[in-house]
Amino acid sequence: MSDQKNLTRLLQLFALAGLALLFLVPVIGSRALVQDLFGVLTLFILAQNWNLLAGFAGMVSVGQQAFVGVGAYAMFACVILLGLDPVIGIAVGGITAMILAIPMAFFSFRLAGAYFAIGTWVAAEITRLCFAQWKALGGGTGTSLPKGTTKTMFGVPEIKSWLGGSSSAASDALTYWLALILALATLIAAWLFLKSRMGLGLQSLRDNEEAACSVGVNPTRLKAWVFMLTAFGTGLCGALLFIQITRVTPEAAFSVVDWTAFVIFITVIGGIGTLPGPIIGVIVFYFLQRLLADYGTVYLIVLGCLGIAVMLFARRGLWGLFTEKTGLELLSLRQLPPEENQAH
Amino acid sequence: MILVDTLIQGILLGGLYALFAAGLSLVFGVMRLVNLAHGDLIALAAFVILSIGTALNLSPFVAVILAFPIMFAVGWGLQTCLLNHVLGDDILPPLLVTFGLSVVIQNGLLEIFTADSQKLTAGAIEVQSLALGPITVGVTPLLTFVSSVLVIFALNQIFYRTRLGRAFRATSDDSETVGLMGIRPNNVFAVATGIAMVAATIAALYLGIRANFDPSIGPARLLYAFEAVIIGGLGSLWGTLAGGVIIGVAQALGASINPEWQILSGHIAFVVVLLVRPRGLFPRSKD
């Protein structure tokens, strides 16, 4: 037992060291690496949010691209129409996504189980088609951030004078750090939430809805909270993503493949319903993409097959297999009895 | 008069959507399975018809007959090898497996057939029209609608009048007890999915004659099909036809106001119906 504890400690130390290293990447790494890791981090944020929604709250949404798109468009509106700083636009993006989640929940919560998936997908399509009508932001063809916006945004000049190099590299570093902070915040918030009274209620609902209701858990209210909070996280991430991309079109911002399909596979392969799952999933996804980069869409086929295989043979994904084999846990959600009781 | 014309075009378009949805409705009715790959399977069927037609130099109306057994086998195989293993109380595995399947089929088609737009050429029938009083309707849309009524009728007959249909309904009600009566639920499910794929092949035929298609068209068809099924009420085949017609009419009306609103107004009709009647227009059972 103490052996296992030591190993767990070791694993935690590794995780911390890895985190410290991640923070240093813009200082010591190349710009290409910063951009690559930015993509990985944002996918992780999206995946963790979806994991909370589907893995813990049992709401399999195929409409998360709605929140990415709305976050992106809200940020663009702040910058282009109101002349605000893109970093403020990120916060506005998150809040707008959360506001959109209210009518969307009102509609899609009427659909039980699998039909919820279709309901959210349709809602996302409706949002996409509506934003394609917004002529001030380019309508169906989209628009770009005004030239130089990202070079002068909040913090970039300071980072530039500190790191040296070009303004574009500094803006990449800024978006990277923001993504890293957001990823970390998502992970911690998810852990705290799941450890809280509400999180406990959520997991009890997943395990046995009737029993949970009988001890006073209110399923609709809990699920609505999770739906709105994950919409907020997804919207923030969407706005951040499109600061880096600097160009928005309805197709790209509301892409079901980029912002939902990838995210679903990442979570499923890594381990749905576990907190470290999306981390593992995003690492696998990144290497798969690098490995198969020259073969066009083959990596999507491989990803799909992997997802199917995981669902057939190992429902808790790679992380589930790992904990099963080794007994090691990270970010465990297990509730241990209080210390005094153990002493008796 | 323009309004009447729009309505008729919408109803005929609804026939196509009902065809997309018929297989989905059957599969849901028998095994409560939501198949997110249905749209991509329709796209696959369209490419099968196209390949047979080009290889043997046949009209699509003949090629489709050869495509039926192929697609039946695809459905049967999918259900036996894959979907039967994930059916159960937990809705997550079937959803994710069919979602994975959707991505695999879509990109597999893209690898084989490239992203080029294709079309099934049916000859003169494509442009022929009938004058019904002051209204003119195309022969192909009319044929599509008649086919969809026939398909729904046939599925209903199978479901309520045959031995196989009795097995479908019994398995749907209680798949464990049915096992005691000498019926293998897994086989019943496989046959049901096979039949659903035959219906999807008919849908693919008219889809390919009516408009261009490419490997990426699946998801949009899936949404129309689902909307038709949910509007009609889960498990009701005639309801599915009504649902398809509602989506079709809404799209035609939207398009007549502004072409950009065609798809949007179909989706909005779906949302409105669900807000008014959360369980659809003609729900069959209490689930």
Side-chain angles (χ1 to χ4, degrees):
Chain A
M1 192 63 208
S2 79
D3 233 28
Q4 209 158 51
K5 250 186 180 158
N6 283 339
L7 271 173
T8 310
R9 275 279 138 74
L10 203 67
L11 208 61
Q12 284 169 341
L13 274 178
F14 262 121
L16 278 179
L19 192 65
L21 211 58
L22 276 179
F23 263 103
L24 286 176
V25 165
V27 184
I28 52 177
S30 70
R31 195 170 156 206
L33 184 67
V34 171
Q35 287 173 342
D36 271 1
L37 286 179
F38 173 81
V40 170
L41 286 170
T42 46
L43 272 178
F44 166 74
I45 298 165
L46 297 177
Q48 193 62 276
N49 277 299
W50 188 81
N51 186 27
L52 269 180
L53 204 57
F56 290 99
M59 292 182 279
V60 185
S61 161
V62 191
Q64 292 308 94
Q65 68 275 21
F67 303 123
V68 173
V70 165
Y73 266 95
M75 186 273 291
F76 268 72
C78 280
V79 174
I80 293 176
L81 305 179
L82 304 176
L84 296 172
D85 194 280
V87 178
I88 299 170
I90 297 176
V92 177
I95 294 165
T96 318
M98 194 152 89
I99 293 170
L100 171 76
I102 299 170
M104 204 161 143
F106 184 73
F107 158 69
S108 52
F109 277 29
R110 292 170 165 244
L111 298 165
Y115 285 83
F116 177 83
I118 307 297
T120 49
W121 196 346
V122 171
E125 280 298 290
I126 292 177
T127 326
R128 175 176 71 86
L129 292 164
C130 289
F131 274 89
Q133 304 285 324
W134 194 356
K135 299 288 184 263
L137 289 180
T141 50
T143 187
S144 301
L145 280 179
K147 210 164 182 293
T149 313
T150 53
K151 289 180 183 167
T152 53
M153 75 181 157
F154 173 78
V156 169
E158 288 80 358
I159 293 173
K160 188 188 169 192
S161 62
W162 177 46
L163 285 182
S166 65
S167 290
S168 326
S171 107
D172 276 350
L174 177 70
T175 48
Y176 172 84
W177 275 319
L178 286 175
L180 187 56
I181 291 168
L182 188 56
L184 203 58
T186 310
L187 191 61
I188 294 171
W191 190 73
L192 286 177
F193 180 81
L194 291 171
K195 279 292 225 184
S196 76
R197 198 184 149 84
M198 277 170 95
L200 204 59
L202 201 64
Q203 290 171 74
S204 69
L205 272 179
R206 181 189 62 188
D207 296 338
N208 188 336
E209 181 146 354
E210 279 91 12
C213 290
S214 75
V215 292
V217 178
N218 181 343
T220 317
R221 215 178 61 192
L222 259 180
K223 286 184 176 179
W225 268 110
V226 177
F227 194 72
M228 290 192 34
L229 289 176
T230 53
F232 179 66
T234 310
L236 286 179
C237 186
L240 184 59
L241 264 166
F242 279 82
I243 287 186
Q244 218 252 356
I245 297 171
T246 70
R247 178 167 173 74
V248 74
T249 62
E251 273 66 40
F254 292 90
S255 159
V256 64
V257 172
D258 291 342
W259 315 131
T260 301
F262 284 164
V263 160
I264 291 180
F265 289 135
I266 286 170
T267 314
V268 167
I269 292 170
I272 188 168
T274 66
L275 281 180
I279 304 178
I280 308 292
V282 92
I283 295 172
V284 171
F285 176 79
Y286 176 69
F287 283 107
L288 214 59
Q289 208 179 19
R290 293 311 292 275
L291 206 67
L292 301 172
D294 299 334
Y295 302 97
T297 54
V298 169
Y299 84 100
L300 267 170
I301 300 177
V302 173
L303 213 57
C305 291
L306 259 178
I308 293 174
V310 164
M311 265 298 131
L312 285 179
F313 304 115
R315 292 205 179 163
R316 289 277 143 185
L318 294 179
W319 182 256
L321 275 183
F322 177 76
T323 46
E324 210 175 282
K325 289 273 184 302
T326 59
L328 294 180
E329 285 183 274
L330 207 59
L331 296 167
S332 165
L333 296 167
R334 191 179 302 166
Q335 304 273 351
L336 295 172
E339 291 289 335
E340 307 110 14
N341 292 1
Q342 275 181 330
H344 283 297
Chain B
M1 210 48 346
I2 294 173
L3 184 68
V4 178
D5 189 44
T6 309
L7 280 179
I8 290 184
Q9 303 307 336
I11 291 171
L12 295 183
L13 180 62
L16 182 64
Y17 294 162
L19 272 180
F20 291 156
L24 214 56
S25 188
L26 175 74
V27 165
F28 184 85
V30 175
M31 63 194 100
R32 303 285 179 275
L33 175 77
V34 169
N35 185 355
L36 293 182
H38 191 74
D40 302 288
L41 285 162
I42 293 176
L44 172 69
F47 279 104
V48 169
I49 299 173
L50 178 77
S51 306
I52 294 176
T54 356
L56 304 177
N57 204 11
L58 293 172
S59 145
F61 287 99
V62 185
V64 74
I65 295 170
L66 297 176
F68 286 151
I70 298 176
M71 288 308 291
F72 182 90
V74 168
W76 197 88
L78 269 184
Q79 189 67 38
T80 310
C81 302
L82 203 59
L83 301 177
N84 275 338
H85 301 284
V86 288
L87 288 176
D89 290 333
D90 191 358
I91 60 150
L92 203 62
L95 266 184
L96 296 179
V97 163
T98 53
F99 189 72
L101 201 60
S102 151
V103 171
V104 171
I105 294 175
Q106 199 177 327
N107 290 287
L109 287 176
L110 196 62
E111 284 290 315
I112 301 171
F113 295 99
T114 73
D116 293 347
S117 280
Q118 306 283 356
K119 200 169 173 310
L120 299 176
T121 33
I125 194 172
E126 282 179 38
V127 288
Q128 280 168 0
S129 59
L130 283 176
L132 301 176
I135 307 271
T136 313
V137 289
V139 172
T140 321
L142 196 62
L143 203 58
T144 311
F145 189 80
V146 172
S147 304
S148 81
V149 173
L150 286 178
V151 165
I152 299 273
F153 178 75
L155 288 180
N156 248 315
Q157 290 297 312
I158 293 176
F159 209 69
Y160 290 107
R161 296 260 188 279
T162 65
R163 207 181 146 82
L164 179 67
R166 200 156 61 228
F168 281 170
R169 280 176 289 141
T171 315
S172 161
D173 288 343
D174 189 338
S175 62
E176 274 175 35
T177 312
V178 144
L180 301 175
M181 310 294 157
I183 292 174
R184 289 190 185 171
N186 282 351
N187 282 355
V188 172
F189 292 156
V191 172
T193 309
I195 293 176
M197 282 307 107
V198 171
T201 313
I202 300 174
L205 170 71
Y206 291 110
L207 170 76
I209 291 174
R210 190 191 155 83
N212 291 340
F213 59 93
D214 61 66
S216 69
I217 57 145
R221 313 306 122 177
L222 173 78
L223 285 191
Y224 303 153
F226 260 113
E227 288 172 346
V229 173
I230 301 179
I231 288 179
L234 304 180
S236 159
L237 285 162
W238 287 113
T240 300
L241 181 63
V245 167
I246 287 175
I247 302 282
V249 168
Q251 286 195 357
L253 284 176
S256 71
I257 300 168
N258 179 345
E260 287 183 17
W261 293 353
Q262 179 182 355
I263 316 278
L264 187 59
S265 40
H267 289 325
I268 287 174
F270 166 68
V271 171
V272 169
V273 170
L274 269 196
L275 288 180
V276 181
R277 301 206 43 156
R279 292 178 49 232
L281 298 176
F282 314 103
R284 185 186 61 149
S285 50
K286 58 177 172 25
D287 51 55

